Amino acid sequence: MLFIWRGVGILVPIIYFLIAWIVSYWFDGTDTKIINPEFVAWTSLISGIIIFAIGLFTFNIHKKTGDFQAKTKVKRAHFFYIPILYWGVGILLLSITFFTFFSDDKKSEITEIVIEKPTTRILNLYNPGEDTLTYIIADETEDGLISREIVIPGNYLSIKLEAKSYLFSAFNQEFETTLLLPSKKYAKDTSKFVLLNDDNGKFYQRILRPATLEEDDYDEAWLVLDGIHNLILVEVTEFCDIDFDHRDIEDFVWLDYIYEIYDAQDLIEPLSNKTFRGKTIKVLAPGDSIPTELLENELVFMLIPYSGTDLDNEYIANWIKSL
């Protein structure tokens, strides 16, 4: 596109598109098209004020008549032959128009989005040990027992739960408890646990938050039923290639690609509250093989169980090679 300007007139499009880029972060980059009235309105309001102020600077008021006259040094500054001051006025009028005539429709759309927010979350119950384990999910506030299932060694079960608080526990074939949430270790963390009260007294339950509307994050949660094996989140994007060699896995510095380590004695929420703008996120369950191809802008992570104190490259490499 051919721009015609003189002097500082080129600032008009520069300022408008710069403000549009900044305002896009308010909308999290998800709805910043010209068909979005609220985005256009705020962009026009802020940029219009700035352009109008610059336009005022390029004009003087005639002492006798009170009329605007262009300053000598910038008297011919324009963008497409229109003085900067008039651009500022026009853009502000555009902002007022969008706020006045289109904002109600946009607000109703936003209300619908809020209503449609997810109210559930997928919980994966993983047994990394050598003994068959049984899990129990309960809600002592109303429903009592929610779910009880057996999970064989090396496997996991997935269940969709309503976003609220629960009691989680697991036990082995000898009925010995292997996991109990809430635990004394975390019970006082009010961001994770809620203190409730009934006829039998006070008790804690673990909060399970809902999935998000974002597409560039990971929403599933995990419980490690043996309460021993922590989960390591390792990025494996570089190895999502059908031609990768096992020797490359052995030589790779895996410790540099550990993203997070999660405690087996708590509910695990991989990548919680983390978004990767413009990326597609994939988290491989323990035991899943590395995919041989990637989607565009995809990041791939792998959950690896680990118990012990000495975590090194060899352990991670051996786990990946065994898949």
Side-chain angles (χ1 to χ4, degrees):
M1 179 178 180
L2 177 64
F3 286 156
I4 301 174
W5 81 90
R6 186 178 295 277
V8 294
I10 190 60
L11 289 178
V12 172
I14 292 175
I15 291 173
Y16 192 90
F17 288 113
L18 178 62
I19 295 301
W21 175 69
I22 295 172
V23 171
S24 71
Y25 283 89
W26 299 353
F27 293 84
D28 198 26
T30 57
D31 195 4
T32 54
K33 299 179 180 179
I34 197 165
I35 59 174
N36 180 350
E38 192 173 11
F39 170 69
V40 176
W42 280 107
T43 299
S44 300
L45 175 64
I46 299 171
S47 59
I49 292 172
I50 297 173
I51 293 170
F52 182 77
I54 295 174
L56 284 177
F57 177 74
T58 64
F59 277 77
N60 279 330
I61 299 178
H62 195 280
K63 293 182 180 179
K64 294 183 178 181
T65 64
D67 295 332
F68 279 108
Q69 62 179 18
K71 287 184 176 180
T72 303
K73 293 182 180 179
V74 289
K75 66 179 182 179
R76 303 183 69 183
H78 64 75
F79 183 64
F80 281 103
Y81 305 110
I82 301 174
I84 300 175
L85 182 68
Y86 301 152
W87 275 105
V89 173
I91 293 173
L92 284 172
L93 289 175
L94 177 67
S95 171
I96 293 172
T97 301
F98 273 87
F99 274 125
T100 303
F101 296 103
F102 300 104
S103 59
D104 289 341
D105 292 339
K106 190 60 186 175
K107 287 178 182 177
S108 65
E109 291 178 16
I110 294 174
T111 302
E112 291 177 3
I113 292 175
V114 172
I115 294 174
E116 294 174 358
K117 280 186 176 180
T119 59
T120 61
R121 192 170 191 180
I122 298 296
L123 176 64
N124 301 299
L125 300 114
Y126 174 50
N127 178 7
E130 299 178 354
D131 190 10
T132 298
L133 300 176
T134 301
Y135 75 79
I136 293 177
I137 301 175
D139 177 10
E140 293 300 324
T141 62
E142 50 182 80
D143 300 319
L145 181 65
I146 303 296
S147 179
R148 172 175 173 159
E149 296 287 345
I150 292 174
V151 184
I152 63 175
N155 285 266
Y156 67 93
L157 297 180
S158 299
I159 182 173
K160 181 183 288 187
L161 294 173
E162 290 293 324
K164 54 182 182 178
S165 63
Y166 297 94
L167 295 170
F168 300 101
S169 64
F171 56 88
N172 59 23
Q173 297 300 293
E174 287 73 39
F175 298 100
E176 297 170 333
T177 300
T178 58
L179 178 70
L180 181 62
L181 293 182
S183 64
K184 294 181 180 179
K185 185 176 182 179
Y186 294 108
K188 293 184 179 180
D189 186 344
T190 56
S191 67
K192 297 180 177 181
F193 292 89
V194 58
L195 180 60
L196 302 171
N197 195 4
D198 63 10
D199 295 338
N200 296 321
K202 296 180 180 180
F203 61 97
Y204 287 95
Q205 290 196 163
R206 182 58 162 93
I207 298 170
L208 180 70
R209 294 182 176 82
T212 69
L213 287 170
E214 305 298 333
E215 297 181 355
D216 50 4
D217 65 353
Y218 178 73
D219 284 323
E220 297 183 16
W222 289 79
L223 277 179
V224 181
L225 299 181
D226 70 352
I228 298 174
H229 286 80
N230 300 326
L231 290 184
I232 310 164
L233 186 69
V234 180
E235 185 182 349
V236 295
T237 307
E238 293 190 24
F239 286 87
C240 296
D241 186 338
I242 197 170
D243 296 323
F244 81 85
D245 193 307
H246 276 197
R247 289 172 296 181
D248 297 331
I249 294 177
E250 295 174 356
D251 297 335
F252 198 71
V253 185
W254 288 106
L255 293 180
D256 292 342
Y257 283 76
I258 295 177
Y259 198 85
E260 290 178 324
I261 299 178
Y262 306 107
D263 191 344
Q265 297 181 31
D266 192 16
L267 181 71
I268 295 172
E269 301 171 285
L271 304 176
S272 176
N273 298 320
K274 293 181 174 64
T275 58
F276 299 81
R277 193 178 180 87
K279 299 289 186 180
T280 300
I281 305 303
K282 185 173 188 176
V283 176
L284 303 174
D288 285 355
S289 299
I290 297 177
T292 56
E293 58 183 22
L294 285 171
L295 299 176
E296 185 176 359
N297 297 320
E298 184 177 38
L299 292 177
V300 181
F301 298 87
M302 174 180 286
L303 287 170
I304 300 175
Y306 172 75
S307 63
T309 55
D310 299 324
L311 179 61
D312 54 24
N313 276 312
E314 182 180 1
Y315 177 85
I316 299 175
N318 289 337
W319 173 271
I320 296 175
K321 286 168 58 180
S322 68
L323 300 176

